[in-house]
Amino acid sequence: MQKTSDELILFVFVAIGIIAVMMAFILTILFLYRKRQQEFEKNLARLKLDNEKAVLSTRLEIQEQTFQHISREIHDNISLALTLAKLNLHTLDWDNREKSAVKVDSAVELLTQSITQLNDLSKSLDADIIGQQGLLAAIEEERQRIEKIGTFHICYSVSGNPVYMNSQAELVIFRIIQEAFNNIIKHARAGTVSLALHYNNRTLQLKIEDDGAGFDTETILTGQHAGLKNMEARTQLLGGQMEINSRPGRGTTLNFTIPFETP
Amino acid sequence: MQEDFWTYLMRQWQVFYFMSPFVLACQITALIICLKYWRNDKIYFRFFGYIITGIILFAVYNFAVYSLRIGNIENQKLPELLNVLFLIIEFLAFSAFLYVILKSPAVQAATRFFSVLFFAAIILLTVGIFNPLYPKKDTDQILSLIGCFELMYIGFLCLLYFYKLFKMPPAVNLSKSPSFWIISFSVLYTIVFPPITLLFDKFRIENKVMFRTIVALHYFSLGFVYIGITKAFLCKKPLTS
């Protein structure tokens, strides 16, 4: 009897030990995992916050660039034309009709030029066409506007099955293309520009190629070149990638890969 | 005076400190909970219900044959073959479950390799069972050896699960993860007891006290495996979450 109860006590003790070990093991795993999970969530929240700050900073930077662009356009072109028109009207000689007529015609021409430039500036900033007719229609209109200036010829092509992306994303893509064209106008002295959009299963491949002056990518990218930085920032906003290929005297090719689903 | 059935049953159960009914109760509880949440989950979670049903029937058969001495088993191979079948089902159930949970090419390759070895051993054992040259004692020992290695392999996979748990991003709510509960409650049984079961015969002859205690503890920790499965069913989530 004593022996049986000793055996039973031994069994009970070992059984309690097994339960204790098992519970300790499970609780330890749960505790350590929970701790790791909290660390992970904290890091995730921090990354998310950093990302949001980066996105906000990029948006503000882009906004600032746009304001600078408007300011430059007004100062360099429109303001100058209006000043000249004013000067012409201010210096009218009412005794000399012929000379005055020439000056008035010149002032009218300058005013017309200013109105056209203001209209063009307004149109280029107006995003309504994106919302109403989509990206491709906006690009076509921009192409026509630039070709009318006569700076270079644009070969425009679209392949694949066009996908409607949300208006915000299409607007950003449109601004990238505008920025690229602005850079070509200002720096490249190109004769022909090729603009190709290819829609595949999940991404839009955008290629802008010119036969202009080209540049040394290493020098340009380490400098403060707002246009390229702007395009890069806009591409990153969409979760896409930008690739620049250029050599002095060999033209420039910009390749963009933009996912349909923006992050 | 011939004792009645219940007295006999109590006496049988008392040998191992009532751990046999404890395991049976855990199995029946697991089965009831499984049936209650039968519609909640995909097919590979339900397979535990079939396994537990089979195990209960197998336990009842074993009890009838070995404890109640129903049927003449002296020259029959059926009990041994059922033991082999039970081993196969246990191996297939747990290795398939861990194969799906671990999702690692290395583990899957290792499981395929071990499966080949396991089934080769089972075939040899089955041949041995039908071969009159091999006494039952030898085939029982080989069966225990195969069972031991099978459980140790499953135990190794269970430990690998915990290793992977802390390597991967902690995206899972562990307290609601069915696989966590099944593996946590199984890891002690699959790692500690397999080598000890090889010593059962030795203890049965040399140290009956130790034999009773170890067998009882063996049943005790086996019961926890079914408690783990019950808890897994209560999570009401797919097995791979």
Side-chain angles (χ1 to χ4, degrees):
Chain A
M1 203 65 158
Q2 175 68 23
K3 213 174 168 188
T4 312
S5 73
D6 285 346
E7 289 164 18
L8 185 61
I9 290 167
L10 172 66
F11 167 74
V12 168
F13 266 120
V14 177
I16 290 170
I18 288 173
I19 295 172
V21 164
M22 211 183 285
M23 289 300 117
F25 176 74
I26 290 172
L27 289 171
T28 306
I29 297 282
L30 284 171
F31 173 73
L32 290 173
Y33 192 82
R34 182 73 198 129
K35 206 171 156 193
R36 198 165 160 260
Q37 213 168 26
Q38 282 167 348
E39 270 298 321
F40 181 75
E41 280 163 10
K42 225 173 21 183
N43 284 337
L44 205 63
R46 192 170 51 233
L47 279 171
K48 208 174 163 184
L49 190 66
D50 288 345
N51 186 49
E52 278 169 11
K53 278 185 189 167
V55 166
L56 184 65
S57 163
T58 304
R59 283 188 197 275
L60 289 172
E61 207 177 296
I62 290 168
Q63 208 172 47
E64 208 41 54
Q65 296 288 341
T66 308
F67 291 154
Q68 281 177 12
H69 168 69
I70 296 167
S71 162
R72 216 171 20 247
E73 280 292 306
I74 292 172
H75 178 267
D76 294 350
N77 299 322
I78 298 163
S79 177
L80 184 64
L82 290 173
T83 306
L84 283 172
K86 182 190 164 188
L87 196 63
N88 278 342
L89 293 172
H90 196 67
T91 56
L92 282 176
D93 183 357
W94 295 108
D95 296 327
N96 189 341
R97 275 178 179 262
E98 270 179 32
K99 233 180 172 178
S100 295
V102 168
K103 282 195 177 181
V104 167
D105 285 342
S106 174
V108 166
E109 206 180 297
L110 285 165
L111 285 169
T112 309
Q113 195 184 317
S114 299
I115 291 167
T116 308
Q117 282 173 345
L118 271 171
N119 277 340
D120 283 347
L121 183 64
S122 166
K123 265 194 187 169
S124 78
L125 294 171
D126 182 15
D128 260 357
I129 188 167
I130 301 272
Q132 287 163 13
Q133 293 171 44
L135 174 66
L136 301 181
I139 293 172
E140 178 58 34
E141 200 169 292
E142 184 71 6
R143 184 188 74 82
Q144 287 171 8
R145 188 184 73 82
I146 288 174
E147 286 207 338
K148 225 183 341 185
I149 299 171
T151 324
F152 48 75
H153 172 63
I154 300 174
C155 298
Y156 173 42
S157 66
V158 178
S159 57
N161 291 322
V163 166
Y164 170 73
M165 297 163 72
N166 71 64
S167 301
Q168 283 295 315
E170 289 198 333
L171 177 61
V172 174
I173 295 168
F174 181 65
R175 294 293 182 227
I176 289 171
I177 295 170
Q178 275 189 320
E179 188 70 51
F181 285 160
N182 282 341
N183 281 349
I184 295 169
I185 291 169
K186 275 190 244 169
H187 307 294
R189 297 185 300 278
T192 310
V193 172
S194 137
L195 169 64
L197 277 79
H198 175 68
Y199 290 88
N200 59 31
N201 282 344
R202 290 185 191 175
T203 58
L204 165 63
Q205 307 281 340
L206 173 63
K207 184 175 171 182
I208 305 171
E209 197 174 354
D210 70 69
D211 60 357
F215 56 87
D216 181 353
T217 49
E218 281 183 24
T219 319
I220 291 286
L221 292 174
T222 50
Q224 297 292 320
H225 298 274
L228 288 171
K229 279 188 172 295
N230 217 342
M231 283 192 282
E232 198 170 23
R234 285 186 157 123
T235 312
Q236 280 173 1
L237 254 182
L238 298 174
Q241 287 170 324
M242 175 177 158
E243 195 188 312
I244 306 171
N245 289 309
S246 186
R247 271 167 43 190
R250 299 284 187 100
T252 303
T253 305
L254 303 175
N255 283 301
F256 301 88
T257 305
I258 297 164
F260 295 143
E261 302 279 331
T262 53
Chain B
M1 193 169 73
Q2 228 177 0
E3 58 186 353
D4 64 10
F5 173 75
W6 291 111
T7 312
Y8 175 75
L9 194 64
M10 287 298 128
R11 196 160 57 77
Q12 288 290 314
W13 282 350
Q14 201 179 16
V15 171
F16 298 115
Y17 309 115
F18 294 94
M19 284 299 106
S20 310
F22 169 70
V23 172
L24 190 63
C26 294
Q27 288 167 342
I28 291 170
T29 308
L31 188 60
I32 290 169
I33 300 295
C34 169
L35 291 171
K36 187 180 174 195
Y37 295 114
W38 188 255
R39 290 188 186 285
N40 270 38
D41 199 17
K42 297 177 189 179
I43 197 100
Y44 46 75
F45 199 17
R46 292 185 195 174
F47 85 89
F48 271 114
Y50 298 119
I51 302 292
I52 294 170
T53 309
I55 290 170
I56 292 172
L57 292 173
F58 182 76
V60 168
Y61 171 81
N62 262 351
F63 178 75
V65 164
Y66 288 103
S67 299
L68 300 181
R69 304 279 175 204
I70 293 171
N72 177 14
I73 60 160
E74 286 304 321
N75 294 317
Q76 281 183 20
K77 305 293 178 192
L78 185 60
E80 290 171 84
L81 290 174
L82 285 176
N83 277 328
V84 172
L85 184 65
F86 173 77
L87 202 61
I88 292 170
I89 291 169
E90 185 184 61
F91 173 72
L92 287 176
F94 278 94
S95 59
F97 159 63
L98 287 159
Y99 189 94
V100 168
I101 295 295
L102 288 171
K103 286 184 191 136
S104 151
V107 164
Q108 289 169 355
T111 303
R112 282 193 288 268
F113 175 73
F114 188 84
S115 303
V116 168
L117 292 178
F118 175 79
F119 283 107
I122 289 289
I123 290 167
L124 288 172
L125 174 65
T126 312
V127 167
I129 287 170
F130 283 103
N131 191 334
L133 288 175
Y134 289 99
K136 188 173 178 302
K137 189 180 158 203
D138 287 346
T139 52
D140 282 349
Q141 263 186 340
I142 293 169
L143 184 71
S144 298
L145 199 64
I146 296 172
C148 169
F149 280 109
E150 173 237 331
L151 281 176
M152 284 176 78
Y153 178 71
I154 290 168
F156 167 73
L157 292 181
C158 290
L159 289 177
L160 200 62
Y161 167 83
F162 289 112
Y163 172 75
K164 275 199 87 178
L165 199 64
F166 285 93
K167 274 284 181 186
M168 304 294 285
V172 174
N173 184 352
L174 215 55
S175 57
K176 286 192 177 5
S177 167
S179 48
F180 169 73
W181 291 110
I182 293 174
I183 293 170
S184 296
F185 278 91
S186 304
V187 72
L188 186 74
Y189 175 73
T190 54
I191 289 170
V192 173
F193 279 97
I196 295 174
T197 54
L198 291 175
L199 301 169
F200 274 169
D201 282 334
K202 189 173 178 321
F203 283 131
R204 191 187 306 156
I205 296 162
E206 291 173 19
N207 190 338
K208 287 200 167 17
V209 169
M210 195 57 107
F211 174 71
R212 279 183 69 190
T213 310
I214 289 175
V215 172
L217 290 170
H218 173 257
Y219 281 133
F220 183 68
S221 41
L222 182 60
F224 275 93
V225 173
Y226 295 102
I227 291 174
I229 294 173
T230 306
K231 179 71 182 112
F233 287 136
L234 288 171
C235 290
K236 291 182 276 187
K237 280 182 178 279
L239 198 62
T240 50
S241 64

